[in-house]
Amino acid sequence: MGWYGELLVGFDLETTGTDPGEARIVSAAVVEAVRGVPARRREWLADPGVPVPPETTAIHGITDERATAHGRPAAEVADEVADALAAHWKRGVPVVAYNATFDLTLLAAELRRHGLASMRERLGGGEEGPVIDPYAMDRTVDPFREGKRTLEAVCVEYGVVLGRAHDAAEDALAAVRLAVAIAERYGDVASAGAWDLHRGQAGWHAERAEGYRQWLARQTRDAASAPVPDATAAEPVPKRGYGPDGAVA
């Protein structure tokens, strides 16, 4: 059996917002599991040092008051989370995160913000990884499936039980189970090495980004070439179209 039958480490952050360069960690989880069965978990609650907006509290349930009163300093949390991930990577254990680009970019920003060692420095200059991203894998193996690509929606597609959504530990474990489920459905994913998937995901992400850039360019050209509507004409029928959808943190 390949990588999906061995130890995997789920990772998830709940945050103050959706901009990974500006948002702060509110909670974090690192969950060890084998074939989706949890063996050990670590969880953190952080005082982000900035207010937790009500709209993000509505998503993950952590209020500003709770984070301030019971959260640990953000620098300590970011440092410990980074150490935990680096320790697993040093042993060659894949880290699984849904829409991993968001979580890892945000963690890197927090490390810089607090003057802490980067992930690469913690790895002695080595490459971060392997990272397994079920979001990237699902978009690649089933690109034309309609519907949302949120963690909740994709878990339903693969029959994965998700506990309380937007709880860091539950989301981290669900990401591991989802990675296993995708591998069990698609032989090419199952037979690939963890590092092959890691590097493939970087290419898939670049292709999606380029596709999105081209889609935006088409919308701009269409808007520029469209005739100015006659104010006296009947109400126009809106143009229908589909743009790329994104994952929710």
Side-chain angles (χ1 to χ4, degrees):
M1 185 172 292
W3 59 268
Y4 63 99
E6 300 174 357
L7 176 65
L8 298 173
V9 174
F11 166 55
D12 186 69
L13 300 176
E14 297 301 325
T15 69
T16 60
T18 58
D19 181 345
E22 298 296 331
R24 311 297 175 89
I25 297 172
V26 177
S27 66
V30 173
V31 179
E32 300 175 21
V34 178
R35 292 191 64 81
V37 178
R40 180 172 179 256
R41 68 175 64 191
R42 295 183 65 185
E43 299 179 63
W44 294 263
L45 178 66
D47 176 358
V50 299
V52 180
E55 58 269 25
T56 58
T57 294
I59 294 172
H60 52 58
I62 301 172
T63 63
D64 187 52
E65 292 76 15
R66 179 185 167 197
T68 301
H70 303 290
R72 293 174 53 201
E76 291 183 8
V77 171
D79 195 36
E80 290 184 11
V81 171
D83 272 350
L85 297 182
H88 286 296
W89 278 330
K90 286 177 180 178
R91 296 199 300 271
V93 179
V95 170
V96 183
Y98 195 83
N99 196 21
T101 300
F102 176 86
D103 296 84
L104 293 174
T105 300
L106 193 151
L107 177 60
E110 286 277 51
L111 296 177
R112 289 193 300 272
R113 183 175 293 118
H114 297 292
L116 300 169
S118 68
M119 291 302 308
R120 188 171 289 272
E121 290 170 333
R122 293 166 198 262
L123 293 167
E127 184 178 359
E128 300 172 40
V131 176
I132 304 295
D133 184 350
Y135 172 68
M137 290 195 298
D138 177 59
R139 289 297 300 263
T140 301
V141 298
D142 195 1
F144 303 113
R145 189 179 73 245
E146 295 183 356
K148 295 181 179 180
R149 300 278 179 156
T150 62
L151 178 59
E152 299 97 313
V154 178
C155 279
V156 171
E157 169 65 23
Y158 289 91
V160 170
V161 175
L162 172 61
R164 189 169 70 85
H166 299 293
D167 172 273
E170 294 292 342
D171 284 1
L173 180 57
V176 170
R177 289 174 171 167
L178 192 52
V180 172
I182 294 172
E184 290 177 337
R185 182 179 295 188
Y186 295 97
D188 288 348
V189 174
S191 61
W195 274 109
D196 292 331
L197 289 172
H198 171 97
R199 296 193 170 99
Q201 288 162 176
W204 303 334
H205 178 76
E207 289 174 4
R208 287 198 306 274
E210 175 60 18
Y212 182 50
R213 186 195 65 78
Q214 293 179 7
W215 178 81
L216 286 176
R218 287 196 300 272
Q219 307 314 301
T220 302
R221 288 196 300 270
D222 290 348
S225 62
V228 177
D230 182 353
T232 63
E235 182 178 355
V237 177
K239 180 179 179 181
R240 296 181 182 273
Y242 296 93
D245 63 328
V248 177

